[in-house]
Amino acid sequence: MAAQKLYVGVKLRELRTRLGLTQKAFAAQLGVSLPYLNQMENNNRPVSTGVVLSMAQEFDFDITELRPGEAERMVTDMREALSDPVFDDQMPPLSDLQLAASNAPGLAHAFLSLHRAYRYTHERLASLDEALGREDAALQPSPWEEVRDFFHYCDNYIDAVDRAAERVSGQMQGDVLRADGLSFEVQSVDSAALRQFDAEAGVLRLSARASAPTQRFQVLHQLALVAHNDLLDATLDLARFQSDAARQIAKIGLANYFAGAALLPYTRFLEAARETRHDLERLADMFGASIEQVAHRLSTMQRPGAKGVPFFFVRVDQAGTITKRHSATRLQFARFGGACPLWNVHQAFETPGRFLRQLAETPDGVRYISLARDVSKPGGSFAAPTRRFAIGLGCEISHADAIVYADDLLPAKPQAFEPIGISCRICERVKCHQRSVPPLESKLTVDHTQRGTLPYKVGS
């Protein structure tokens, strides 16, 4: 199989700009000609192995940053956006989308923002009776989606916040937090409210019904807001959200990120993950965390120079709605709608307390091992409702040696890998017994004289 050519002109330009070098000086240090560098920066030529080695030796560059993850995410997102009926049959070739994501990521982001604004406008018009006469009916993207995309394109790793949280974790002694800035008293009360902070009295009240990992997480969340507010605000300033609502939602997300990173500090957690071969139960026990907290943290281990196994992570509710999503792998989740029904995460509700394993293959031929588990959350009393969720965690099969859950599954025959997709709207599979809607990119054939699993055939 031929090696894949590496086109990372944007990364080259970013490195040169960060170093403050001209193209001529940069080319000289890389040992290439000026025209050759210009062609590489414009993705007219792939980056050679010699150039990659020179980048690592001359500039101490982390070559794992050259993995074209963001471009792949943007291609997936653009394909889903372009499958919207508003574009009719105007789907560009995949090569054009890859070119746009690699050469003009700013333009690709702008297109996605425009489509997101269109969808929001379309949905507002569909409920015009609610929007008429409202002063706040200005057309703007959904704050929740804007925040989701912020973390999505940051690779779900915020370096400054992560390192600050790691420093705080060094001040923790068992379950007792002795951290700089912890100027408030923590009380456990019988309350349905998970967390209540009285700034004037300097008291943080936590629900006694919450589990110990949840209580620790909430203490660290409040610590982030009190002692590291300037850091969170500086990070939000760089994000340039379009609305105050998006900024406030993102601040909660950053405080949650801080709490997770302090509870599971990067360096120590990465070492433990490797030692236990990513055994979620052992890691949860070692760090006093929940299974969901551990799984979510594993998907954020993308620190330059010290990256962990690239995982995807997702949380769904019983309706199949994705409530959390992130992928450091080539597998990307649908921005709109639910996940593929063939994925084992939907089956986890049927087997509470058990891990389900699945070997899966996406339409692009990439194979994964996927882990799913129910993580429902009791309300703490007989009358309180149970919040039901399931999580999915997985990685490409090339990392199976580092995953304890793959030990007795591999090697496996090709038919052991279940065919899954992203969402029915953009899935390329022509034979799928679980397809809910036709793919918008393909032509349909309808034969009134016969009926198979579906009332149509995909493709010519």
Side-chain angles (χ1 to χ4, degrees):
M1 183 175 179
Q4 185 178 1
K5 295 181 179 180
L6 192 61
Y7 292 91
V8 287
V10 173
K11 291 287 186 182
L12 275 176
R13 289 197 299 272
E14 287 177 354
L15 175 61
R16 179 170 60 81
T17 302
R18 190 164 69 238
L19 296 170
L21 297 176
T22 63
Q23 275 195 327
K24 184 176 180 180
F26 192 45
Q29 289 194 247
L30 291 177
V32 298
S33 66
L34 181 58
Y36 188 76
L37 173 62
N38 186 64
Q39 289 180 318
M40 286 191 294
E41 285 196 355
N42 288 286
N43 283 335
N44 293 324
R45 297 188 68 167
V47 176
S48 66
T49 304
V51 169
V52 172
L53 292 175
S54 295
M55 291 170 68
Q57 294 170 358
E58 295 291 330
F59 307 111
D60 195 26
F61 182 79
D62 180 7
I63 61 175
T64 60
E65 292 187 43
L66 295 178
R67 186 177 179 273
E70 182 177 4
E72 291 174 352
R73 278 194 289 274
M74 279 196 288
V75 168
T76 301
D77 291 348
M78 284 192 292
R79 288 188 64 210
E80 184 176 7
L82 286 163
S83 67
D84 193 305
V86 72
F87 294 108
D88 198 15
D89 293 325
Q90 301 176 36
M91 175 65 70
L94 180 60
S95 58
D96 286 1
L97 298 181
Q98 292 170 333
L99 193 63
S102 300
N103 280 14
L107 180 62
H109 277 299
F111 166 75
L112 291 172
S113 296
L114 182 62
H115 179 256
R116 182 178 58 198
Y118 159 76
R119 281 187 60 92
Y120 180 76
T121 304
H122 185 73
E123 291 168 2
R124 290 291 294 270
L125 290 174
S127 56
L128 189 59
D129 57 334
E130 179 184 352
L132 279 176
R134 285 173 48 181
E135 294 179 359
D136 63 341
L139 301 179
Q140 58 185 12
S142 159
W144 192 263
E145 291 179 355
E146 194 179 356
V147 172
R148 180 192 65 183
D149 286 350
F150 164 71
F151 284 100
H152 181 57
Y153 287 110
C154 283
D155 236 3
N156 208 28
Y157 176 77
I158 314 294
D159 190 70
V161 177
D162 205 295
R163 292 181 185 276
E166 189 169 22
R167 288 191 293 271
V168 166
S169 72
Q171 302 165 0
M172 295 178 65
Q173 299 178 6
D175 287 343
V176 181
L177 177 61
R178 306 183 185 281
D180 294 335
L182 184 57
S183 56
F184 50 84
E185 177 188 354
V186 180
Q187 298 179 354
S188 182
V189 297
D190 184 15
S191 170
L194 184 59
R195 171 174 51 87
Q196 292 177 310
F197 181 60
D198 186 336
E200 186 174 342
V203 175
L204 173 65
R205 298 182 180 89
L206 300 177
S207 173
R209 304 175 190 177
S211 65
T214 297
Q215 289 189 347
R216 281 193 290 273
F217 185 92
Q218 292 302 323
V219 171
L220 291 165
H221 176 104
Q222 195 63 56
L223 176 67
L225 295 173
V226 173
H228 298 272
N229 187 64
D230 290 345
L231 173 61
L232 301 188
D233 280 342
T235 305
L236 293 169
D237 288 341
L238 293 173
R240 297 180 179 179
F241 290 108
Q242 297 185 40
S243 68
D244 183 64
R247 183 184 176 97
Q248 296 308 319
I249 293 171
K251 192 165 190 175
I252 294 175
L254 287 177
N256 283 337
Y257 184 100
F258 181 98
L263 191 63
L264 305 164
Y266 197 100
T267 303
R268 192 156 58 93
F269 183 69
L270 180 62
E271 292 174 355
R274 289 171 173 168
E275 180 184 342
T276 63
R277 299 183 61 231
H278 302 87
D279 188 316
L280 271 64
E281 291 172 294
R282 289 183 62 190
L283 290 170
D285 184 59
M286 291 169 65
F287 288 89
S290 69
I291 294 292
E292 181 180 345
Q293 289 169 347
V294 169
H296 192 188
R297 183 57 168 155
L298 285 173
S299 73
T300 70
M301 307 300 283
Q302 294 298 298
R303 179 178 292 179
K307 293 189 176 184
V309 170
F311 282 100
F312 63 73
F313 169 80
V314 69
R315 189 181 74 177
V316 302
D317 63 18
Q318 283 186 296
T321 304
I322 297 175
T323 59
K324 289 184 181 179
R325 69 179 177 96
H326 173 65
S327 178
T329 71
R330 282 178 280 183
L331 186 146
Q332 301 303 323
F333 303 109
R335 291 162 58 84
F336 311 105
C340 175
L342 297 178
W343 196 19
N344 67 340
V345 69
H346 301 292
Q347 302 169 19
F349 293 105
E350 303 170 11
T351 55
R354 288 179 52 197
F355 285 99
L356 299 182
R357 299 176 298 167
Q358 180 184 37
L359 297 176
E361 181 177 334
T362 47
D364 57 4
V366 181
R367 292 176 173 175
Y368 300 87
I369 176 169
S370 176
L371 190 68
R373 192 180 191 275
D374 157 84
V375 290
S376 296
K377 303 177 180 182
S381 68
F382 177 75
T386 297
R387 302 175 65 207
R388 302 191 183 280
F389 297 102
I391 59 170
L393 181 75
C395 65
E396 294 184 18
I397 208 69
S398 58
H399 298 285
D401 288 345
I403 311 299
V404 66
Y405 303 98
D407 282 354
D408 58 342
L409 295 181
L410 298 173
K413 296 180 179 180
Q415 54 267 35
F417 291 85
E418 187 159 6
I420 65 171
I422 298 174
S423 75
C424 290
R425 296 191 317 123
I426 57 174
C427 184
E428 302 169 352
R429 299 194 187 280
V430 296
K431 295 181 180 179
C432 178
H433 62 283
Q434 282 291 138
R435 180 174 290 283
S436 58
V437 295
L440 295 175
E441 298 179 41
S442 303
K443 293 183 179 180
L444 304 181
T445 301
V446 178
D447 187 344
H448 293 168
T449 65
Q450 58 177 307
R451 163 68 192 256
T453 304
L454 300 172
Y456 52 80
K457 290 183 180 180
V458 179
S460 56

